Amino acid sequence: MSTAQHPPRSVEALLADGTTVSIRPLGPSDHAAVLGLHAERMSDDSRRLRFFGASRRAPQLAAERLSGPPRPELLALGAWAGGELVGEADCETVPGHPEAAELALAVADDWHHRGVATLLLEHLVHAARQNGIHTFEADTLADNRAVHRVFSDLGLPVRRRFEQGEVRVHVPLDEADEHYREAVDERGRSADVASLAALLRPASVTVVGASRRPGSVGQSVLLKIRQAGFTGELWAVNPYAAEIAGERAYPSPSTLPGTPDLAVLAVPPIAVASAAEECGRAGVRALVVLTSGLDADAARQLMHVCRRHSMRLVGPNSLGIAQTDPAIRLDAEFGGAFPLPGTAGVAVQSGGVGIALLERLAWLGIGVSSFVSLGDKYDVSGNDLLQWWESDGRTDLALLHVESFGNPRAFSRTARRVTRRFPILTVDAGRSPAGRRGAASHTAAAATPTVTRETLFRQAGITATRSIAELVDTAALLHSQPLPSARCAVAVVSNAGGVGILAADACADTGLTQLELPSDLVTELRDLLPGSASTANPVDTTAAVTPGQLAACLDTLSRSRAVDALLVCLVPTALTTAAQDDPLRALLDGPAHRRIPLAAVLLSQEVPVRLLTCADGGHIPSYTDPQDAARALAHARDRARRLAEPPSPEAAAPPGCDPAAARRLVESFLTANPGGGWLDPALTVELFDCYGLPLTISIWTPDEHGTVVAAQSLRQLGHRREVVLKAYWPGQVHKSAAGAVRTGLATDTQVRQTFREFTERFGSRLTGVVVQPMAAPGLELLAGVVQDRVFGPLVLLGLGGTATEVLDDRAARLAPLTERDLATMPAELRGSALLSGHQGAPAVDLAAVQDVLARLSHLATDLPQLAELDLNPLIARPDGVLCVDARARLEPRPSFDPYLRRLRRPAAAEED
Ligand code: ADP
Ligand code: MG
């Protein structure tokens, strides 16, 4: 093992109670701290349990062992809170047994039961795995209940052997991966929620920078908090005023009569960091920073202060937050009106969008559970809010309008879990991902625009709409109506034939299934409706229908198992003179909530969407435009489909994947190229070998003689007579377009001549050539990995070759791929028929294609530094697949386990 594999610097993470601690490797400068932890911060009994006796020298020895100069056999991590070492976890291998490490843990007595040991262990497990350790072993005293609980709750299998009052514990680190991740997820969620309580359920709030100037941001927020009837304590801080808008003001956070949970900062940019520092010192647990325009320096300081004092941070540049729970009633925002209490969780990045969204929800009568304007999102992100709503017992619908979601991998994982409980709606305005990089690579440049991001959102379980209007339309339906079945066969009913046809067209446009009504249903409807009615789908009741007849028709349709959703289009007619004749009565007097969802289309309605209130108090969404109604139904159908899918296991790593070797390669490349870059052909071959990817033999040679020899040796190896020569220079893009690929070279003379042509054409740019055997012809596919800034790593499959951009036929999935993804990706291509054997051609070896996808999925998940990877072409044949052209680009990112619990560091730009 090597100490270089430690996290390179400290990371911050949350304890079970929401406190922030920082974790870093222990080193020579920590001697006093380690000694202090063992000698002063642990009782005699704790020391007995830790050291199996009361040796006076034990703390001294521990300090020497843990804080000596770096030793390759020792991994030691410390947890620090407020500058003090509160716990350590270490593991040490003995010579000759590099795969098993002896584990030791120590936690300061006053920090017990807060999850310090567990958090340290999670980080140590990660570091140990990275260093090729497969087991932790520990001797423990049988009465050391605390440590036994830590082991059993960790989520890894634990084997114990009892020997006379001692227990020998074995923890295999490679087993039960998904179970362990779930345990870590669950701890992460509850720690996150605990840390957010000060923000979203504060018992006391202070507004710092509340000014005497009426209309100022600080004063508005102060007044709003008071007017909304905040149930806790409220204090104003202003060094220059004794009173603000009738509220007593205090000169600083430390002079307040109590410790506020939450501080709202409305001070000038240069004062933000110092105000935050004062809040931290006074014991504040969360900040909402309304101030905008912080420079990079002020931003860094603010983050630093928040982490050091264990404060969660919303903003800066936030519009504020609102919590409608009657037990709290906090309206700490300066945008709009205090939202109605309800069940929609709303988080937005842009304040303007937030106000618009809240207004539309209020207008619809959809209440809000909590609202957070995330602003510049230094700390609290959409991901935090999803976890809060998942646990707050009030939220059943999440509306997110954000440009990115913090740590993309963690986000995809959280989203997949949360959407099993309730819908997450977001707007995908089709922004081009930041990772896209012009002509840098076939895959990265070409894939993202064509791959519909909607597919990816859907895979994460998220309902992605194209506009705020569509978001609100969909929220209205999901909020008020049951989900359809996955089939979602729609029956359209109208009292004006033309409108019914418009609605039927809208259903077709959005891909909704239009059912043909079964004959018994047709007969039943004929008996119910006026004689001139058309009882096929769309059902035209004609304007002569009475509300009673229409109600009976709707009841019959919603009882029929053939129908999964109803679209009811009504226009007022000349016949509706009296209110009781209005066909709308059929909806308003009937049940709002049926077995199947119902959406109304009222063409004469003056707003695009409303929620009609029925006699039973329930609601029916009604739209002016049938397209809007159909789109909302299609979103509901997509959600139903996703929920109906049985969970599919992650695709297992095929044999021959060696992530540890790949990590070493990545690390040494990035040490030599700190800015990252493209791997040269030789390193590309090595990386492919680490994951058993089928790359054709590629011999790299710098000169003519080497080229001829390489070609001869390929022939001697029994390959086909012909070879391929590819000119190489760093940074090249499309080789064949530049004339740098020559295939089918059969003789030494041709090889020599081609080499000379290359040197003539490319001159000093040329650094060498790659010699490959000529591969047997087959179907040219593209496979690859690309990083998306919202979703994290994606695996791609498409039709490849030099015409891949023109063909523009690709499927993408979030990594890690599931077994189902492996099955559906090839089938999803427009040209999938080419794979299964087209016009007499034999089918390609699909299992081999899927094997490559599974390997790419693991490669992408194991190596966050892999910015893009491109196999084009991957030549697929009935007897297997072979890649003849590969490119990979690495970026310097810390090799953190994406699932490792830690707080974000936006300033270091390591995630977004
Ligand atoms: P680039 O994609 O940079 O233009 P490639 O190495 O992919 O360069 O070569 C272009 C095309 O040449 C491939 O799509 C493939 O059709 C063909 N080709 C390249 N290498 C081989 C090979 N070893 N065997 C057979 N055909 C090859
Ligand atoms: Mg190529």
Side-chain angles (χ1 to χ4, degrees):
M1 40 169 146
S2 85
T3 41
Q5 298 257 347
H6 281 286
R9 44 172 191 186
S10 69
V11 295
E12 280 92 22
L14 296 172
L15 296 180
D17 64 0
T19 310
T20 309
V21 291
S22 78
I23 295 179
R24 65 167 170 79
L26 294 172
S29 58
D30 299 319
H31 187 276
V34 179
L35 183 61
L37 170 68
H38 289 91
E40 286 153 31
R41 306 199 65 176
M42 290 168 69
S43 67
D44 286 344
D45 196 44
S46 302
R47 264 194 302 274
R48 177 185 66 82
L49 293 171
R50 165 70 186 82
F51 297 114
F52 291 52
S55 155
R56 294 184 160 270
R57 294 258 307 136
Q60 186 64 39
L61 291 173
E64 273 159 29
R65 187 174 70 87
L66 297 174
S67 58
R71 288 182 292 134
E73 62 275 16
L74 175 71
L75 289 172
L77 299 177
W80 308 74
E84 302 252 4
L85 182 66
V86 296
E88 72 86 16
D90 68 87
C91 68
E92 189 162 354
T93 53
V94 293
H97 298 281
E99 303 211 328
E102 195 70 27
L103 178 74
L105 285 168
V107 175
D109 279 1
D110 51 339
W111 284 77
H112 281 184
H113 310 299
R114 297 172 74 172
V116 177
T118 306
L119 183 62
L120 277 169
L121 260 181
E122 286 177 17
H123 284 256
L124 195 66
V125 165
H126 171 66
R129 279 177 168 169
Q130 294 248 300
N131 283 277
I133 295 172
H134 298 290
T135 342
F136 280 161
E137 302 192 343
D139 284 319
T140 57
L141 290 176
D143 63 338
N144 193 348
R145 282 206 208 90
V147 83
H148 290 295
R149 192 159 50 244
V150 166
F151 284 131
S152 31
D153 292 348
L154 195 59
L156 289 169
V158 179
R159 305 201 177 104
R160 296 186 173 83
R161 223 180 37 239
F162 295 85
E163 277 161 15
Q164 304 163 355
E166 285 185 20
V167 185
R168 180 83 180 146
V169 178
H170 290 257
V171 185
L173 305 184
D174 303 333
E175 290 174 32
D177 229 23
E178 186 53 29
H179 181 68
Y180 176 64
R181 277 187 196 166
E182 272 168 21
V184 174
D185 276 351
E186 176 49 31
R187 285 194 286 270
R189 190 189 59 73
S190 70
D192 202 39
V193 169
S195 76
L196 294 172
L199 180 75
L200 288 162
R201 301 192 67 84
S204 47
V205 176
T206 179
V207 179
V208 180
S211 90
R212 270 176 299 189
R213 195 161 43 82
S216 66
V217 167
Q219 192 185 105
S220 320
V221 172
L222 186 73
L223 288 174
K224 290 194 79 180
I225 297 177
R226 194 174 57 193
Q227 278 156 11
F230 177 52
T231 57
E233 299 275 4
L234 175 63
W235 300 299
V237 168
N238 183 326
Y240 311 109
E243 193 208 276
I244 290 160
E247 205 78 53
R248 177 166 171 201
Y250 297 83
S252 72
S254 56
T255 56
L256 294 173
T259 303
D261 284 337
L262 169 67
V264 180
L265 266 53
V267 297
I270 52 159
V272 166
S274 57
E277 174 67 35
E278 284 184 43
C279 290
R281 290 219 187 114
V284 170
R285 306 300 314 274
L287 294 183
V288 173
V289 177
L290 306 178
T291 314
S292 60
L294 271 66
D295 63 20
D297 214 35
R300 229 185 338 268
Q301 283 181 34
L302 174 61
M303 272 315 287
H304 188 67
V305 169
C306 287
R307 293 296 186 238
R308 188 150 39 91
H309 291 291
S310 189
M311 295 186 287
R312 296 305 306 264
L313 166 67
V314 167
N317 194 16
S318 163
L319 203 74
I321 63 169
Q323 165 62 272
T324 62
D325 185 339
I328 313 280
R329 294 191 59 80
L330 175 67
D331 185 17
E333 48 81 45
F334 64 98
F338 189 44
L340 294 170
T343 57
V346 181
V348 294
Q349 201 157 338
S350 130
V353 171
I355 298 174
L357 243 182
L358 288 185
E359 271 175 9
R360 295 200 198 192
L361 292 177
W363 205 89
L364 278 173
I366 297 180
V368 168
S369 58
S370 45
F371 164 74
V372 176
S373 156
L374 297 164
D376 294 342
K377 246 167 25 85
Y378 284 11
D379 174 31
V380 173
S381 67
N383 206 16
D384 292 299
L385 271 308
L386 285 184
Q387 303 195 70
W388 174 266
W389 295 324
E390 185 185 11
S391 329
D392 74 353
R394 301 178 68 221
T395 305
D396 64 11
L397 178 69
L399 306 181
L400 284 176
H401 189 273
V402 293
E403 279 135 40
S404 67
F405 298 87
N407 176 341
R409 297 180 196 217
F411 165 71
S412 306
R413 206 170 152 80
T414 310
R416 287 191 219 195
R417 184 182 72 226
V418 174
T419 49
R420 296 227 153 244
R421 302 253 316 260
F422 54 75
I424 302 175
L425 271 62
T426 192
V427 179
D428 176 29
R431 284 169 300 277
S432 54
R436 214 193 296 168
R437 192 168 275 88
S441 139
H442 303 192
T443 309
T448 334
T450 46
V451 165
T452 61
R453 288 157 54 82
E454 262 171 55
T455 324
L456 299 170
F457 275 116
R458 203 177 299 152
Q459 200 193 338
I462 294 171
T463 304
T465 61
R466 304 205 149 263
S467 64
I468 293 187
E470 189 179 323
L471 179 95
V472 172
D473 291 343
T474 310
L477 181 78
L478 291 175
H479 175 73
S480 60
Q481 293 291 305
L483 274 187
S485 68
R487 179 182 60 163
C488 196
V490 181
V492 175
V493 179
S494 79
N495 68 342
V499 184
I501 289 165
L502 280 180
D505 286 348
C507 288
D509 290 349
T510 46
L512 286 165
T513 308
Q514 313 230 31
L515 84 151
E516 206 174 300
L517 298 182
S519 55
D520 51 339
L521 199 54
V522 170
T523 321
E524 219 176 314
L525 292 180
R526 194 168 292 140
D527 292 343
L528 287 170
L529 291 172
S532 52
S534 153
T535 53
N537 192 19
V539 176
D540 176 9
T541 65
T542 74
V545 73
T546 67
Q549 287 170 324
L550 184 57
C553 164
L554 297 179
D555 285 345
T556 304
L557 286 168
S558 48
R559 269 200 309 273
S560 162
R561 293 280 152 189
V563 184
D564 303 316
L566 280 171
L567 202 53
V568 183
C569 313
L570 299 176
V571 284
T573 65
L575 298 174
T576 38
T577 43
Q580 68 269 22
D581 297 334
D582 188 341
L584 197 54
R585 292 249 66 91
L587 292 180
L588 298 182
D589 297 340
H593 211 265
R594 298 162 189 265
R595 186 183 64 83
I596 56 174
L598 185 153
V601 174
L602 304 181
L603 264 80
S604 57
Q605 181 176 288
E606 60 292 354
V607 289
V609 58
R610 269 167 58 181
L611 279 174
L612 306 171
T613 307
C614 299
D616 62 8
H619 300 283
I620 291 175
S622 98
Y623 304 84
T624 313
D625 187 335
Q627 291 278 354
D628 295 343
R631 248 194 309 268
L633 263 180
H635 282 304
R637 186 252 344 249
D638 290 345
R639 174 163 170 74
R641 280 194 182 161
R642 205 187 124 69
L643 291 178
E645 274 175 2
S648 174
E650 265 177 32
C657 292
D658 186 352
R663 276 192 209 105
R664 282 195 295 275
L665 182 153
V666 167
E667 217 164 284
S668 75
F669 177 83
L670 288 174
T671 309
N673 306 273
W678 294 97
L679 295 186
D680 65 27
L683 276 178
T684 311
V685 171
E686 256 186 66
L687 179 67
F688 271 54
D689 281 348
C690 293
Y691 280 86
L693 287 162
L695 186 60
T696 190
I697 297 179
S698 300
I699 302 174
W700 161 253
T701 149
D703 55 28
E704 182 180 321
H705 176 68
T707 307
V708 175
V709 172
Q712 287 167 347
S713 68
L714 286 179
R715 276 184 217 119
Q716 276 159 15
L717 277 170
H719 289 282
R720 289 154 56 104
R721 271 188 63 70
E722 291 136 2
V723 298
V724 178
L725 252 55
K726 300 182 186 180
Y728 177 78
W729 59 89
Q732 66 184 176
V733 185
H734 299 273
K735 291 184 290 297
S736 39
V741 178
R742 291 291 300 276
T743 57
L745 306 175
T747 65
D748 285 356
T749 321
Q750 284 176 327
V751 169
R752 207 179 289 279
Q753 209 168 0
T754 305
F755 185 89
R756 287 181 190 164
E757 277 171 33
F758 280 172
T759 36
E760 240 165 69
R761 180 180 294 198
F762 304 115
S764 58
R765 265 199 299 168
L766 188 76
T767 53
V769 298
V770 172
V771 188
Q772 295 177 339
M774 187 75 191
L779 178 65
E780 297 204 351
L781 300 176
L782 168 149
V785 174
V786 65
Q787 295 283 345
D788 185 281
R789 91 179 160 132
V790 172
F791 300 102
L794 311 179
V795 175
L796 308 171
L797 176 71
L799 293 188
T802 46
T804 182
E805 275 95 347
V806 183
L807 293 168
D808 192 17
D809 187 8
R810 295 189 185 92
R813 292 287 190 280
L814 308 177
L817 301 187
T818 63
E819 292 290 341
R820 181 168 40 240
D821 293 332
L822 295 185
T824 52
M825 277 182 87
E828 196 176 291
L829 298 176
R830 268 181 279 120
S832 65
L834 296 173
L835 277 86
S836 43
H838 181 62
Q839 294 200 334
V844 307
D845 183 348
L846 196 60
V849 174
Q850 289 166 331
D851 176 77
V852 166
L853 294 177
R855 289 174 194 278
L856 290 178
S857 168
H858 282 273
L859 177 58
T861 353
D862 295 341
L863 304 178
Q865 301 93 339
L866 183 73
E868 50 193 303
L869 173 80
D870 189 4
L871 285 68
N872 183 20
L874 177 71
I875 300 178
R877 295 170 40 82
D879 55 356
V881 293
L882 188 64
C883 170
V884 300
D885 178 28
R887 295 156 53 81
R889 188 169 64 83
L890 299 182
E891 266 175 7
R893 289 160 181 259
S895 74
F896 287 121
D897 181 333
Y899 308 118
L900 199 58
R901 283 203 278 147
R902 70 193 168 119
L903 292 165
R904 310 196 306 136
R905 273 209 197 173
E910 59 186 36
E911 287 158 333
D912 286 14

